[in-house]
Amino acid sequence: MSKHVLFVCQSCHHSSQERAENQLADGTLLLNQLNTLYAEQFPANELEIQPVGCLGTCDRPCAVAFSALHKPTFLFTNLPLTESTVALLQFGEVYLANKTGDISGKYFPQMLRSASIAKIPPVE
């Protein structure tokens, strides 16, 4: 099986106000939530959760991207911090199980249907 990666922007932040020096960005909090839930519920380690400095969607936080060789990349933005963790891992299961990665929106968890989504074709 090819490597599947969930990229998580750790610099995303919903508030337009400056964060206190010791306050974590929302993206870092999302990354921590994903890592914790993934370790508890998905022991097979089929999906690598990888932090990135910035995914360039600063006006639409929080942002993540699912990517794998020979599959389209799915970029999700406008993700609410507290409600999206479970839905993202559910989508990850669908993405892993689908050989081509060509996933119709009807198979997205309900919570992700309200996010901004980009489907980027695979590099062949």
Side-chain angles (χ1 to χ4, degrees):
M1 177 182 285
S2 66
K3 180 175 162 181
H4 290 76
V5 181
L6 170 55
F7 294 103
V8 181
C9 179
Q10 56 186 355
S11 62
C12 280
H13 198 67
H14 283 97
S15 175
S16 60
Q17 298 176 352
E18 246 183 77
R19 293 189 323 267
E21 189 174 318
N22 59 349
Q23 181 185 6
L24 296 175
D26 292 340
T28 300
L29 295 172
L30 178 61
L31 174 67
N32 293 343
Q33 291 173 3
L34 285 164
N35 280 324
T36 299
L37 187 60
Y38 186 73
E40 292 171 358
Q41 296 186 6
F42 302 92
N45 290 326
E46 295 172 332
L47 180 67
E48 177 185 338
I49 299 174
Q50 184 174 328
V52 294
C54 183
L55 285 173
T57 65
C58 301
D59 60 336
R60 294 178 304 279
C62 287
V64 303
F66 287 87
S67 188
L69 190 62
H70 304 298
K71 287 186 174 183
T73 294
F74 284 89
L75 174 68
F76 293 92
T77 65
N78 288 335
L79 295 170
L81 178 61
T82 55
E83 300 98 34
S84 56
T85 307
V86 171
L88 287 168
L89 293 179
Q90 289 171 341
F91 179 82
E93 288 182 297
V94 173
Y95 189 68
L96 281 162
N98 188 295
K99 289 182 183 182
T100 65
D102 193 20
I103 302 166
S104 167
K106 68 182 179 181
Y107 296 108
F108 290 19
Q110 187 65 40
M111 192 261 121
L112 294 181
R113 293 179 191 176
S114 62
S116 295
I117 304 165
K119 180 180 172 185
I120 302 153
V123 175
E124 298 292 339

